């Protein structure tokens, strides 16, 4: 059985003080909840507050982005060694906003994935099509290409801890959501592509999350789909009550 993973991507919101208040309100709402793996992904400036605040709880903490190099002259970047040193356990890789606004390519996603796996960070690798690609009927092609290039050089043994997040980009921050059936279809395609590259056993064990305007009122329909193994939640994760409701779908 694949244990569902529900991750909060706070994006560029919350100061350290706001993050600390969030955790104080959030932890009592999910105490004892062990059906799902719960992960908070704050901005880098709040990692040092959130990680100690959740210590000893059932909540893990991850970063939203990292550089592929372990260290170097890369002004403004965060390395995997920095993240692991402070206790981060997860990392979001290739989010659609990183691809859209910062020109991250599939090849760069692959390099970051290799670094995360080397240092035992659980990578949440994001893939997904934009509206024009979906309307042109290219969704399958785009997803196959993205997952194939992300997994270059990855062995079945490496893949054990990889998490994939399917993000229909047209549904992020727009209020639009893929229907549960549309999302499940995309997840099935992704899993079949992983099976083709790494084997059916690996594909059956990898968790594939849905990310795209997940809210308390649509979480039940989405997360009860057998191919959907959790959610990467954006805006609805910024409120502790809202995020807890999604977790308790």
């Amino acid at each position: 059985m694949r244990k569902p993973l529900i991750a909060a991507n706070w994006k560029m919101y919350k100061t350290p003080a706001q993050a600390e208040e969030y955790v104080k309100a959030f932890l009592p709402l999910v105490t004892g909840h062990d059906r799902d793996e719960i992960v908070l992904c704050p901005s880098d400036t709040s990692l040092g507050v959130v990680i100690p605040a959740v210590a000893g709880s059932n909540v893990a903490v991850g970063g939203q982005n990292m550089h592929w190099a372990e260290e170097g002259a890369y002004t403004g970047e965060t390395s995997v060694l920095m993240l692991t040193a402070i206790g981060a356990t997860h990392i979001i890789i290739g989010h659609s906003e990183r691809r859209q606004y910062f020109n991250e390519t599939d090849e760069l996603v692959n390099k970051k994935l290799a670094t995360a796996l080397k240092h035992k960070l659980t990578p949440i690798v994001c893939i997904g099509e934009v509206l024009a690609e979906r309307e042109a009927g290219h969704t399958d092609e785009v997803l196959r290409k993205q997952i194939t290039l992300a997994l270059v050089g990855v062995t079945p043994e490496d893949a054990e801890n990889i998490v994939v997040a399917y993000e229909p980009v047209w549904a992020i921050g727009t209020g639009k959501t893929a229907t549960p059936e549309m999302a499940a279809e995309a997840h099935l395609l992704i899993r079949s592509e992983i099976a083709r590259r790494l084997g059916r056993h690996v594909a059956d064990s990898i968790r594939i999350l849905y990310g795209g305007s997940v809210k308390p009122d649509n979480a039940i329909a989405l997360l009860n789909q057998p191919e959907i193994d959790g959610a990467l939640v954006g805006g609805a994760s910024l409120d502790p009550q809202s995020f807890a409701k999604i977790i308790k779908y």
Side-chain angles (χ1 to χ4, degrees), residues 42-217:
S43 62
D44 286 354
T45 59
S46 293
L47 284 170
V49 170
V50 175
I51 289 171
V54 303
S57 76
N58 56 330
V59 177
V61 181
Q64 296 178 13
N65 180 46
M66 70 173 192
H67 199 275
W68 55 267
E70 293 178 345
E71 61 183 7
Y74 301 105
T75 300
E77 291 290 332
T78 301
S79 78
V80 65
L81 297 178
M82 296 171 183
L83 292 170
T84 55
I86 62 173
T89 55
H90 295 67
I91 183 69
I92 299 173
I93 296 176
H95 190 278
S96 62
E97 290 159 0
R98 298 296 311 174
R99 295 174 185 260
Q100 179 180 356
Y101 301 124
F102 303 100
N103 301 314
E104 290 200 2
T105 63
D106 293 315
E107 291 74 17
L108 189 58
V109 168
N110 174 251
K111 291 173 76 171
K112 291 184 177 186
L113 174 58
T115 300
L117 292 174
K118 177 182 176 182
H119 290 275
K120 311 301 182 187
L121 271 184
T122 299
I124 302 174
V125 182
C126 302
I127 62 173
E129 81 281 11
V130 300
L131 182 60
E133 291 166 337
R134 170 163 283 275
E135 290 181 338
H138 294 157
T139 294
D140 289 10
E141 176 186 343
V142 169
L143 296 182
R144 290 186 190 280
K145 174 175 179 276
Q146 289 180 341
I147 197 66
T148 296
L149 293 179
L151 294 176
V152 169
V154 174
T155 67
E157 293 74 25
D158 292 333
E160 189 175 306
N161 293 320
I162 294 175
V163 177
V164 175
Y166 167 58
E167 306 179 303
V169 182
W170 47 271
I172 298 175
T174 63
K176 298 179 180 178
T177 310
T179 66
E181 293 74 23
M182 290 164 62
E185 182 180 355
H187 282 229
L188 188 61
L189 181 143
I190 294 165
R191 201 175 302 282
S192 69
E193 188 62 26
I194 295 171
R196 191 179 70 82
R197 291 195 54 80
L198 298 173
R200 172 52 59 183
H201 175 72
V202 172
D204 286 344
S205 66
I206 283 181
R207 292 173 292 181
I208 305 176
L209 316 183
Y210 174 76
S213 294
V214 178
K215 298 179 175 63
D217 59 1

